[in-house]
Amino acid sequence: MKRRKFIKNTSLTGIGLAFGASALNCKQNKNEKQQPMTLTKDTLPKAICTWGFVKANAKAGAELTKGTNALDAAIAGVEVEEENLKNTTVGKGGAPDREGNVTLDACVMDSNGDCGAVVCVENITNVAALAKKVMEDTPHVMLAGEGAEEFAYSQGFKRENLLTDNSKKAWEEWKKSPKYKPIINIENHDTIGMLCIDKDGDIAGACTSSGLSYKMKGRVGDSPIIGSGLFIDNEIGGAVATGMGEEVMKTVGSFLIVELMRNGMSPQEACEEAVNRIVSKNDSYKDFQIAYIAINKSGEVGAYCIHKGFTYMKYEADKNENVAVDYFNKA
Ligand code: GLY
């Protein structure tokens, strides 16, 4: 039996899937006891994104409402922040590495399970759209650095200076006493990760970031790593991450959340378990933030983070709202 058919059949019947419940330490088939939410004209389409990116989420919602598919809507949404010069953690205007070079990371994943990614790209603003080009127009999943940049020009992307006067000034100030200490909830934003369900009920997502401010040259975070910064399985749901990418990568956080949902957890339970995996292994969690948002095939949404201050945007039934998220560190 083909993989997708097998998954569909087993999710419908509630039979345990590829992972045993005990192996994943989750509550077995808890959703079976709940009244499943039905996706109707009133609840579709949906867009959610990390942080309070009101305009980005509204853009995705508007695209979905006019019938754009989930992937293109997510890309159109995150582009709002890639082009926002005031956003110092995404796209043009993003903080540079410690050498003063702005390098961007992004990935996309669609409802067929196809994906594309670019890492450490300079001089290109719309890296989520570039990741889609990698997915569609190359035999590869990921392109890095100069190769990704050259590919971008071949596809008609324009060369832009991503270092704004303000980012340059902030970097020069940082260099006076350079410290490599992550700031929790930096200016209340970080990576933008977006998940959309379109009018057909299909799920896709995009994730884009300039990564940690003043990172080492060549450093790549979780945002372009399929399974870490973003993962989608159209039969189950999707998840995206924001925060300290190194910790997300060590636990393959977004893939973990989708697998936990496959095994019966709600999006909320799955996000909480993914955060617990990190804090239970890492005594230094007080020094960094990690946050996840997730959506399942029924349209239920979950979110959880380590520290107070993370919010997400939810577009549903023409309403675009900012939602405060529960957190682990209540000490
Ligand atoms: N989550 C963004 C990064 O660590 O690069």
Side-chain angles (χ1 to χ4, degrees):
M1 191 184 289
K2 284 204 165 115
R3 177 183 166 272
R4 289 197 172 273
K5 203 162 173 200
F6 169 75
I7 289 167
K8 197 168 186 180
N9 289 348
T10 47
S11 6
L12 286 171
T13 56
I15 295 167
L17 294 171
F19 295 90
S22 57
L24 284 171
N25 188 28
C26 69
K27 294 164 200 160
Q28 195 168 12
N29 297 327
K30 185 168 180 193
N31 279 358
E32 282 187 337
K33 293 180 207 131
Q34 298 167 351
Q35 191 63 30
M37 191 175 141
T38 314
L39 285 169
T40 65
K41 248 171 54 186
D42 294 338
T43 54
L44 277 183
K46 265 180 204 280
I48 59 171
C49 78
T50 53
W51 305 102
F53 295 126
V54 178
K55 288 184 184 161
N57 210 55
K59 173 70 179 167
E63 287 293 327
L64 290 165
T65 303
K66 71 179 190 202
T68 303
N69 69 64
L71 180 62
D72 288 334
I75 292 171
V78 300
E79 276 181 352
V80 172
E81 288 309 319
E82 290 177 335
E83 290 163 13
N84 176 2
L85 299 186
K86 291 194 179 141
N87 186 334
T88 58
T89 55
V90 179
K92 192 172 182 180
D97 65 13
R98 53 181 67 179
E99 324 277 322
N101 302 308
V102 181
T103 63
L104 305 182
D105 299 331
C107 73
V108 298
M109 191 157 189
D110 75 8
S111 57
N112 297 317
D114 286 332
C115 51
V118 290
V119 304
C120 222
V121 186
E122 293 184 53
N123 304 313
I124 304 293
T125 300
N126 296 129
V127 279
L130 182 59
K132 184 187 176 207
K133 285 280 182 194
V134 172
M135 175 180 94
E136 289 181 340
D137 295 336
T138 80
H140 307 303
V141 165
M142 184 182 285
L143 290 181
E146 275 179 33
E149 195 179 332
E150 279 168 26
F151 174 66
Y153 300 138
S154 77
Q155 296 292 314
F157 286 74
K158 67 173 191 250
R159 183 187 168 94
E160 293 187 87
N161 176 17
L162 305 181
L163 188 67
T164 58
D165 289 346
N166 282 345
S167 322
K168 193 171 173 199
K169 265 189 218 144
W171 168 63
E172 280 165 350
E173 200 52 41
W174 173 83
K175 275 199 300 181
K176 288 180 188 163
S177 52
K179 280 199 199 92
Y180 199 41
K181 195 170 184 328
I183 303 167
I184 290 170
N185 297 336
I186 179 167
E187 297 165 17
N188 283 327
H189 56 81
D190 176 70
T191 307
I192 180 163
M194 185 173 284
L195 301 168
C196 292
I197 308 187
D198 62 27
K199 284 182 167 175
D200 293 331
D202 287 328
I203 308 173
C207 187
T208 176
S209 181
S210 53
L212 286 181
S213 304
Y214 319 129
K215 60 197 176 185
M216 286 179 73
K217 185 175 183 181
R219 182 264 185 189
V220 171
D222 61 312
S223 303
I225 309 297
I226 296 296
S228 290
L230 166 71
F231 194 72
I232 305 287
D233 187 320
N234 195 40
E235 307 288 348
I236 305 298
V240 282
T242 177
M244 179 59 82
E246 280 71 7
E247 300 304 321
V248 175
M249 285 191 277
K250 286 179 203 168
T251 49
V252 202
S254 294
F255 179 74
L256 172 64
I257 289 169
V258 173
E259 291 308 308
L260 290 168
M261 293 195 293
R262 187 193 308 281
N263 219 43
M265 281 194 181
S266 68
Q268 184 60 37
E269 290 169 326
C271 289
E272 289 179 17
E273 174 62 15
V275 167
N276 287 338
R277 295 281 173 106
I278 292 169
V279 295
S280 64
K281 285 183 190 149
N282 197 328
D283 290 341
S284 63
Y285 70 83
K286 289 197 170 129
D287 297 331
F288 60 82
Q289 173 72 298
I290 301 282
Y292 291 108
I293 61 172
I295 196 161
N296 68 12
K297 193 68 177 167
S298 303
E300 294 166 308
V301 174
Y304 199 60
C305 57
I306 301 179
H307 301 284
K308 188 174 180 178
F310 173 65
T311 64
Y312 72 94
M313 292 300 307
K314 182 166 78 164
Y315 178 96
E316 180 183 71
D318 293 334
K319 203 169 128 202
N320 195 31
E321 60 175 340
N322 190 226
V323 183
V325 172
D326 192 16
Y327 51 96
F328 174 83
N329 185 16
K330 302 235 165 76

